[in-house]
Amino acid sequence: MVPSATTSPDVLLVPGAFSGPWIYADVVERLAAQDVEAQVVALPSVGGPSTGDGFGADVAAVRGALDAVGRPVVLVAHSYGGSVITDAAAGPHPNVLELVYLCAAAPGSGASMASTTAAVTPEGQDSPIQVGDDGLASFPREVARQALFNDADDDRAAVALDQLRPQDMSGTDRPIETAAWTELPYVNVSGTADLVPRAVAPDFPAGAAQSVELPSGHCPQWTEPELVADLIVERLRTER
C-alpha cells in the first residue's frame, strides 16, 4: 500500500499516463525497508473527465506537492510524467535535489509533450492510443500488454492492465517555457527492452549526471521494483 501524504518525504514519485500510485507500490515498500520515505503524486488527468487542460492540472499537482514538502527531495517521474516534472520543477524549484527520468519524456524548453512525441513517431505510423467522444485517451488492452508490460508474466501484467484508466491528454500541446532539466541535475533511466519511443529533446541524454540502463520494458517500477528502489537510494546518498 502506498503511504499517505507526508510533509517530509525523501522522494516524490510521479506516475505516467493511464496509471496511478499503485504502479509504484512495490518500489515504495522496498524504499521503506531501506528507511527511505516516499510519496506518490496522483495525477488528476488520470481517470477523470476531460477538463481542457489535463496537463496543466498535473503540473499544478506536482508543483503543489513540491511546495508542501519539508525539505528538498529527489523527484522521480515515469513516461508521460517526465514532461510533467519538466514543467513543474522549473525555476528551478528549491525543493528538488535531482530529477530522475524513468523511461520518461523530457521535452526541451519551448517544446511540448505533443511536439516531442511527434518528433519521435515514424512518419505514417498511426498512434495506438484511442481517443473517445469524451475526450479521454486509452490504450487497447492488447496493445498496452505489449507496449507497457512486455517483460512481465501474464499474471503480473494482468494485475497492471486491470488498473489502467483513461487519460485526459488536453494541454499536452502547450509549450514548456523552461525545461527543469536544463536547471537541475538529472538522471536518465532507460529499459533495455522498452518498446515505447523516448520523447526526449535531442540534447537531453548528453547532460545527464548519470545514465542507467535497466533490464526491463517500459515500466521498470512494476516489473523490476527492487532495481528502481536501489537506484533511488543511490541517488539520495549521492545528493545528500
Side-chain angles (χ1 to χ4, degrees), residues 86 104-113 115-120 179 181-182 186 188 198-208 211:
T86 295
S109 301
S112 67
M113 175 66 186
S115 67
T116 309
T117 300
V120 299
W181 56 266
T182 66
Y186 63 95
N188 179 24
R198 285 289 293 279
V200 300
D203 52 343
F204 173 78
S211 291

PDB file of all heavy atoms in Angstrom, residues 86 104-113 115-120 179 181-182 186 188 198-208 211:
ATOM      1  N   THR A  86       9.151  18.171 -15.906  1.00  0.00           N
ATOM      2  CA  THR A  86       9.965  19.106 -16.674  1.00  0.00           C
ATOM      3  C   THR A  86       9.403  20.518 -16.562  1.00  0.00           C
ATOM      4  O   THR A  86      10.151  21.500 -16.545  1.00  0.00           O
ATOM      5  CB  THR A  86      10.020  18.664 -18.146  1.00  0.00           C
ATOM      6  OG1 THR A  86      10.705  17.406 -18.213  1.00  0.00           O
ATOM      7  CG2 THR A  86      10.756  19.669 -19.014  1.00  0.00           C
ATOM      8  N   ALA A 104      11.222   8.067 -19.289  1.00  0.00           N
ATOM      9  CA  ALA A 104      10.308   9.202 -19.259  1.00  0.00           C
ATOM     10  C   ALA A 104      10.545  10.185 -20.390  1.00  0.00           C
ATOM     11  O   ALA A 104      11.648  10.296 -20.942  1.00  0.00           O
ATOM     12  CB  ALA A 104      10.427   9.927 -17.922  1.00  0.00           C
ATOM     13  N   ALA A 105       9.494  10.926 -20.702  1.00  0.00           N
ATOM     14  CA  ALA A 105       9.574  12.011 -21.670  1.00  0.00           C
ATOM     15  C   ALA A 105      10.318  13.192 -21.060  1.00  0.00           C
ATOM     16  O   ALA A 105      10.217  13.449 -19.861  1.00  0.00           O
ATOM     17  CB  ALA A 105       8.171  12.444 -22.093  1.00  0.00           C
ATOM     18  N   ALA A 106      11.038  13.916 -21.915  1.00  0.00           N
ATOM     19  CA  ALA A 106      11.782  15.098 -21.454  1.00  0.00           C
ATOM     20  C   ALA A 106      11.805  16.145 -22.557  1.00  0.00           C
ATOM     21  O   ALA A 106      12.791  16.288 -23.289  1.00  0.00           O
ATOM     22  CB  ALA A 106      13.198  14.715 -21.043  1.00  0.00           C
ATOM     23  N   PRO A 107      10.707  16.880 -22.718  1.00  0.00           N
ATOM     24  CA  PRO A 107      10.700  17.955 -23.719  1.00  0.00           C
ATOM     25  C   PRO A 107      11.722  19.028 -23.379  1.00  0.00           C
ATOM     26  O   PRO A 107      12.065  19.231 -22.208  1.00  0.00           O
ATOM     27  CB  PRO A 107       9.272  18.518 -23.616  1.00  0.00           C
ATOM     28  CG  PRO A 107       8.476  17.467 -22.907  1.00  0.00           C
ATOM     29  CD  PRO A 107       9.438  16.772 -21.998  1.00  0.00           C
ATOM     30  N   GLY A 108      12.190  19.717 -24.391  1.00  0.00           N
ATOM     31  CA  GLY A 108      13.110  20.818 -24.165  1.00  0.00           C
ATOM     32  C   GLY A 108      12.369  22.126 -23.979  1.00  0.00           C
ATOM     33  O   GLY A 108      11.145  22.204 -24.122  1.00  0.00           O
ATOM     34  N   SER A 109      13.094  23.167 -23.622  1.00  0.00           N
ATOM     35  CA  SER A 109      12.493  24.494 -23.467  1.00  0.00           C
ATOM     36  C   SER A 109      11.857  24.917 -24.791  1.00  0.00           C
ATOM     37  O   SER A 109      12.473  24.818 -25.851  1.00  0.00           O
ATOM     38  CB  SER A 109      13.554  25.515 -23.051  1.00  0.00           C
ATOM     39  OG  SER A 109      14.161  25.132 -21.830  1.00  0.00           O
ATOM     40  N   GLY A 110      10.608  25.381 -24.717  1.00  0.00           N
ATOM     41  CA  GLY A 110       9.886  25.797 -25.903  1.00  0.00           C
ATOM     42  C   GLY A 110       9.166  24.684 -26.632  1.00  0.00           C
ATOM     43  O   GLY A 110       8.418  24.936 -27.578  1.00  0.00           O
ATOM     44  N   ALA A 111       9.370  23.442 -26.202  1.00  0.00           N
ATOM     45  CA  ALA A 111       8.689  22.299 -26.802  1.00  0.00           C
ATOM     46  C   ALA A 111       7.559  21.841 -25.886  1.00  0.00           C
ATOM     47  O   ALA A 111       7.437  22.289 -24.748  1.00  0.00           O
ATOM     48  CB  ALA A 111       9.669  21.160 -27.050  1.00  0.00           C
ATOM     49  N   SER A 112       6.734  20.946 -26.383  1.00  0.00           N
ATOM     50  CA  SER A 112       5.640  20.397 -25.590  1.00  0.00           C
ATOM     51  C   SER A 112       5.731  18.881 -25.594  1.00  0.00           C
ATOM     52  O   SER A 112       6.494  18.286 -26.370  1.00  0.00           O
ATOM     53  CB  SER A 112       4.288  20.819 -26.185  1.00  0.00           C
ATOM     54  OG  SER A 112       4.090  20.221 -27.461  1.00  0.00           O
ATOM     55  N   MET A 113       4.929  18.239 -24.747  1.00  0.00           N
ATOM     56  CA  MET A 113       4.850  16.783 -24.769  1.00  0.00           C
ATOM     57  C   MET A 113       4.408  16.312 -26.153  1.00  0.00           C
ATOM     58  O   MET A 113       4.985  15.377 -26.721  1.00  0.00           O
ATOM     59  CB  MET A 113       3.868  16.306 -23.702  1.00  0.00           C
ATOM     60  CG  MET A 113       3.600  14.810 -23.705  1.00  0.00           C
ATOM     61  SD  MET A 113       5.051  13.847 -23.261  1.00  0.00           S
ATOM     62  CE  MET A 113       4.438  12.177 -23.555  1.00  0.00           C
ATOM     63  N   SER A 115       4.610  17.847 -29.162  1.00  0.00           N
ATOM     64  CA  SER A 115       5.570  18.078 -30.237  1.00  0.00           C
ATOM     65  C   SER A 115       6.776  17.140 -30.122  1.00  0.00           C
ATOM     66  O   SER A 115       7.317  16.685 -31.131  1.00  0.00           O
ATOM     67  CB  SER A 115       6.038  19.541 -30.244  1.00  0.00           C
ATOM     68  OG  SER A 115       6.805  19.854 -29.094  1.00  0.00           O
ATOM     69  N   THR A 116       7.188  16.859 -28.898  1.00  0.00           N
ATOM     70  CA  THR A 116       8.335  15.970 -28.696  1.00  0.00           C
ATOM     71  C   THR A 116       7.970  14.543 -29.075  1.00  0.00           C
ATOM     72  O   THR A 116       8.777  13.812 -29.669  1.00  0.00           O
ATOM     73  CB  THR A 116       8.818  16.033 -27.239  1.00  0.00           C
ATOM     74  OG1 THR A 116       9.018  17.398 -26.863  1.00  0.00           O
ATOM     75  CG2 THR A 116      10.127  15.288 -27.064  1.00  0.00           C
ATOM     76  N   THR A 117       6.739  14.134 -28.753  1.00  0.00           N
ATOM     77  CA  THR A 117       6.272  12.802 -29.140  1.00  0.00           C
ATOM     78  C   THR A 117       6.176  12.681 -30.657  1.00  0.00           C
ATOM     79  O   THR A 117       6.587  11.671 -31.245  1.00  0.00           O
ATOM     80  CB  THR A 117       4.900  12.513 -28.517  1.00  0.00           C
ATOM     81  OG1 THR A 117       5.017  12.567 -27.086  1.00  0.00           O
ATOM     82  CG2 THR A 117       4.384  11.142 -28.923  1.00  0.00           C
ATOM     83  N   ALA A 118       5.664  13.726 -31.306  1.00  0.00           N
ATOM     84  CA  ALA A 118       5.540  13.704 -32.766  1.00  0.00           C
ATOM     85  C   ALA A 118       6.894  13.570 -33.439  1.00  0.00           C
ATOM     86  O   ALA A 118       7.028  12.921 -34.483  1.00  0.00           O
ATOM     87  CB  ALA A 118       4.831  14.967 -33.239  1.00  0.00           C
ATOM     88  N   ALA A 119       7.916  14.160 -32.818  1.00  0.00           N
ATOM     89  CA  ALA A 119       9.246  14.141 -33.416  1.00  0.00           C
ATOM     90  C   ALA A 119       9.863  12.748 -33.432  1.00  0.00           C
ATOM     91  O   ALA A 119      10.744  12.472 -34.253  1.00  0.00           O
ATOM     92  CB  ALA A 119      10.167  15.098 -32.670  1.00  0.00           C
ATOM     93  N   VAL A 120       9.427  11.862 -32.532  1.00  0.00           N
ATOM     94  CA  VAL A 120       9.994  10.511 -32.481  1.00  0.00           C
ATOM     95  C   VAL A 120       9.043   9.464 -33.042  1.00  0.00           C
ATOM     96  O   VAL A 120       9.346   8.271 -33.007  1.00  0.00           O
ATOM     97  CB  VAL A 120      10.396  10.124 -31.039  1.00  0.00           C
ATOM     98  CG1 VAL A 120      11.451  11.079 -30.506  1.00  0.00           C
ATOM     99  CG2 VAL A 120       9.197  10.079 -30.103  1.00  0.00           C
ATOM    100  N   ALA A 179      12.640  24.133 -19.506  1.00  0.00           N
ATOM    101  CA  ALA A 179      12.717  22.736 -19.087  1.00  0.00           C
ATOM    102  C   ALA A 179      13.543  22.623 -17.813  1.00  0.00           C
ATOM    103  O   ALA A 179      14.686  23.087 -17.758  1.00  0.00           O
ATOM    104  CB  ALA A 179      13.349  21.892 -20.185  1.00  0.00           C
ATOM    105  N   TRP A 181      15.090  20.247 -16.535  1.00  0.00           N
ATOM    106  CA  TRP A 181      16.354  19.502 -16.627  1.00  0.00           C
ATOM    107  C   TRP A 181      17.510  20.362 -17.141  1.00  0.00           C
ATOM    108  O   TRP A 181      18.673  19.941 -17.075  1.00  0.00           O
ATOM    109  CB  TRP A 181      16.180  18.241 -17.472  1.00  0.00           C
ATOM    110  CG  TRP A 181      15.661  18.434 -18.862  1.00  0.00           C
ATOM    111  CD1 TRP A 181      14.363  18.368 -19.275  1.00  0.00           C
ATOM    112  CD2 TRP A 181      16.432  18.693 -20.037  1.00  0.00           C
ATOM    113  NE1 TRP A 181      14.279  18.578 -20.632  1.00  0.00           N
ATOM    114  CE2 TRP A 181      15.522  18.776 -21.130  1.00  0.00           C
ATOM    115  CE3 TRP A 181      17.798  18.863 -20.289  1.00  0.00           C
ATOM    116  CZ2 TRP A 181      15.938  19.022 -22.436  1.00  0.00           C
ATOM    117  CZ3 TRP A 181      18.219  19.119 -21.596  1.00  0.00           C
ATOM    118  CH2 TRP A 181      17.300  19.192 -22.646  1.00  0.00           C
ATOM    119  N   THR A 182      17.209  21.559 -17.638  1.00  0.00           N
ATOM    120  CA  THR A 182      18.280  22.485 -18.010  1.00  0.00           C
ATOM    121  C   THR A 182      18.767  23.276 -16.806  1.00  0.00           C
ATOM    122  O   THR A 182      19.762  24.002 -16.908  1.00  0.00           O
ATOM    123  CB  THR A 182      17.816  23.468 -19.105  1.00  0.00           C
ATOM    124  OG1 THR A 182      16.794  24.331 -18.589  1.00  0.00           O
ATOM    125  CG2 THR A 182      17.288  22.716 -20.319  1.00  0.00           C
ATOM    126  N   TYR A 186      20.073  15.766 -13.282  1.00  0.00           N
ATOM    127  CA  TYR A 186      19.070  14.751 -13.592  1.00  0.00           C
ATOM    128  C   TYR A 186      19.733  13.442 -14.022  1.00  0.00           C
ATOM    129  O   TYR A 186      20.888  13.412 -14.462  1.00  0.00           O
ATOM    130  CB  TYR A 186      18.112  15.230 -14.679  1.00  0.00           C
ATOM    131  CG  TYR A 186      18.747  15.507 -16.032  1.00  0.00           C
ATOM    132  CD1 TYR A 186      18.757  14.544 -17.042  1.00  0.00           C
ATOM    133  CD2 TYR A 186      19.337  16.745 -16.293  1.00  0.00           C
ATOM    134  CE1 TYR A 186      19.339  14.813 -18.275  1.00  0.00           C
ATOM    135  CE2 TYR A 186      19.909  17.012 -17.531  1.00  0.00           C
ATOM    136  CZ  TYR A 186      19.904  16.041 -18.516  1.00  0.00           C
ATOM    137  OH  TYR A 186      20.484  16.308 -19.727  1.00  0.00           O
ATOM    138  N   ASN A 188      19.084   9.916 -16.314  1.00  0.00           N
ATOM    139  CA  ASN A 188      18.349   9.374 -17.452  1.00  0.00           C
ATOM    140  C   ASN A 188      18.322   7.853 -17.346  1.00  0.00           C
ATOM    141  O   ASN A 188      19.361   7.204 -17.469  1.00  0.00           O
ATOM    142  CB  ASN A 188      19.028   9.808 -18.754  1.00  0.00           C
ATOM    143  CG  ASN A 188      18.346   9.269 -19.987  1.00  0.00           C
ATOM    144  OD1 ASN A 188      17.156   8.942 -19.967  1.00  0.00           O
ATOM    145  ND2 ASN A 188      19.094   9.175 -21.076  1.00  0.00           N
ATOM    146  N   ARG A 198      11.282   6.987 -26.890  1.00  0.00           N
ATOM    147  CA  ARG A 198      11.501   8.029 -25.893  1.00  0.00           C
ATOM    148  C   ARG A 198      11.286   9.403 -26.499  1.00  0.00           C
ATOM    149  O   ARG A 198      11.932   9.792 -27.468  1.00  0.00           O
ATOM    150  CB  ARG A 198      12.933   7.963 -25.340  1.00  0.00           C
ATOM    151  CG  ARG A 198      13.226   6.843 -24.371  1.00  0.00           C
ATOM    152  CD  ARG A 198      12.569   7.002 -23.013  1.00  0.00           C
ATOM    153  NE  ARG A 198      13.060   8.107 -22.219  1.00  0.00           N
ATOM    154  CZ  ARG A 198      14.167   8.085 -21.493  1.00  0.00           C
ATOM    155  NH1 ARG A 198      14.965   7.033 -21.497  1.00  0.00           N
ATOM    156  NH2 ARG A 198      14.491   9.140 -20.752  1.00  0.00           N
ATOM    157  N   ALA A 199      10.361  10.142 -25.920  1.00  0.00           N
ATOM    158  CA  ALA A 199      10.074  11.510 -26.376  1.00  0.00           C
ATOM    159  C   ALA A 199      10.946  12.473 -25.588  1.00  0.00           C
ATOM    160  O   ALA A 199      10.522  13.072 -24.601  1.00  0.00           O
ATOM    161  CB  ALA A 199       8.594  11.825 -26.175  1.00  0.00           C
ATOM    162  N   VAL A 200      12.184  12.619 -26.007  1.00  0.00           N
ATOM    163  CA  VAL A 200      13.136  13.469 -25.297  1.00  0.00           C
ATOM    164  C   VAL A 200      13.760  14.474 -26.261  1.00  0.00           C
ATOM    165  O   VAL A 200      13.866  14.228 -27.467  1.00  0.00           O
ATOM    166  CB  VAL A 200      14.250  12.649 -24.604  1.00  0.00           C
ATOM    167  CG1 VAL A 200      13.649  11.684 -23.594  1.00  0.00           C
ATOM    168  CG2 VAL A 200      15.099  11.890 -25.607  1.00  0.00           C
ATOM    169  N   ALA A 201      14.178  15.606 -25.720  1.00  0.00           N
ATOM    170  CA  ALA A 201      14.873  16.610 -26.515  1.00  0.00           C
ATOM    171  C   ALA A 201      16.208  16.040 -26.997  1.00  0.00           C
ATOM    172  O   ALA A 201      16.822  15.210 -26.310  1.00  0.00           O
ATOM    173  CB  ALA A 201      15.102  17.858 -25.674  1.00  0.00           C
ATOM    174  N   PRO A 202      16.696  16.471 -28.152  1.00  0.00           N
ATOM    175  CA  PRO A 202      17.931  15.913 -28.708  1.00  0.00           C
ATOM    176  C   PRO A 202      19.138  16.008 -27.773  1.00  0.00           C
ATOM    177  O   PRO A 202      19.999  15.126 -27.773  1.00  0.00           O
ATOM    178  CB  PRO A 202      18.148  16.746 -29.983  1.00  0.00           C
ATOM    179  CG  PRO A 202      16.777  17.176 -30.381  1.00  0.00           C
ATOM    180  CD  PRO A 202      16.057  17.420 -29.088  1.00  0.00           C
ATOM    181  N   ASP A 203      19.213  17.092 -26.988  1.00  0.00           N
ATOM    182  CA  ASP A 203      20.375  17.277 -26.128  1.00  0.00           C
ATOM    183  C   ASP A 203      20.173  16.739 -24.719  1.00  0.00           C
ATOM    184  O   ASP A 203      21.051  16.884 -23.862  1.00  0.00           O
ATOM    185  CB  ASP A 203      20.776  18.754 -26.066  1.00  0.00           C
ATOM    186  CG  ASP A 203      19.618  19.673 -25.694  1.00  0.00           C
ATOM    187  OD1 ASP A 203      18.450  19.233 -25.796  1.00  0.00           O
ATOM    188  OD2 ASP A 203      19.876  20.831 -25.317  1.00  0.00           O
ATOM    189  N   PHE A 204      19.042  16.100 -24.459  1.00  0.00           N
ATOM    190  CA  PHE A 204      18.758  15.597 -23.115  1.00  0.00           C
ATOM    191  C   PHE A 204      19.747  14.519 -22.659  1.00  0.00           C
ATOM    192  O   PHE A 204      20.298  14.623 -21.555  1.00  0.00           O
ATOM    193  CB  PHE A 204      17.318  15.074 -23.042  1.00  0.00           C
ATOM    194  CG  PHE A 204      16.966  14.371 -21.757  1.00  0.00           C
ATOM    195  CD1 PHE A 204      16.690  15.097 -20.598  1.00  0.00           C
ATOM    196  CD2 PHE A 204      16.896  12.985 -21.692  1.00  0.00           C
ATOM    197  CE1 PHE A 204      16.367  14.451 -19.411  1.00  0.00           C
ATOM    198  CE2 PHE A 204      16.572  12.337 -20.515  1.00  0.00           C
ATOM    199  CZ  PHE A 204      16.303  13.069 -19.365  1.00  0.00           C
ATOM    200  N   PRO A 205      20.010  13.466 -23.436  1.00  0.00           N
ATOM    201  CA  PRO A 205      20.880  12.394 -22.934  1.00  0.00           C
ATOM    202  C   PRO A 205      22.279  12.863 -22.547  1.00  0.00           C
ATOM    203  O   PRO A 205      22.854  12.390 -21.559  1.00  0.00           O
ATOM    204  CB  PRO A 205      20.930  11.401 -24.101  1.00  0.00           C
ATOM    205  CG  PRO A 205      19.676  11.658 -24.871  1.00  0.00           C
ATOM    206  CD  PRO A 205      19.461  13.142 -24.760  1.00  0.00           C
ATOM    207  N   ALA A 206      22.830  13.816 -23.285  1.00  0.00           N
ATOM    208  CA  ALA A 206      24.221  14.223 -23.068  1.00  0.00           C
ATOM    209  C   ALA A 206      24.433  14.941 -21.745  1.00  0.00           C
ATOM    210  O   ALA A 206      25.542  14.932 -21.201  1.00  0.00           O
ATOM    211  CB  ALA A 206      24.682  15.116 -24.222  1.00  0.00           C
ATOM    212  N   GLY A 207      23.405  15.570 -21.205  1.00  0.00           N
ATOM    213  CA  GLY A 207      23.588  16.361 -19.991  1.00  0.00           C
ATOM    214  C   GLY A 207      23.317  15.640 -18.698  1.00  0.00           C
ATOM    215  O   GLY A 207      23.412  16.231 -17.619  1.00  0.00           O
ATOM    216  N   ALA A 208      22.993  14.360 -18.768  1.00  0.00           N
ATOM    217  CA  ALA A 208      22.618  13.620 -17.562  1.00  0.00           C
ATOM    218  C   ALA A 208      23.794  13.448 -16.605  1.00  0.00           C
ATOM    219  O   ALA A 208      24.930  13.193 -17.020  1.00  0.00           O
ATOM    220  CB  ALA A 208      22.062  12.253 -17.939  1.00  0.00           C
ATOM    221  N   SER A 211      23.550   8.090 -16.575  1.00  0.00           N
ATOM    222  CA  SER A 211      22.661   7.376 -17.480  1.00  0.00           C
ATOM    223  C   SER A 211      22.673   5.909 -17.089  1.00  0.00           C
ATOM    224  O   SER A 211      23.748   5.304 -16.935  1.00  0.00           O
ATOM    225  CB  SER A 211      23.091   7.530 -18.944  1.00  0.00           C
ATOM    226  OG  SER A 211      22.882   8.863 -19.376  1.00  0.00           O
TER     227      SER A 211
END
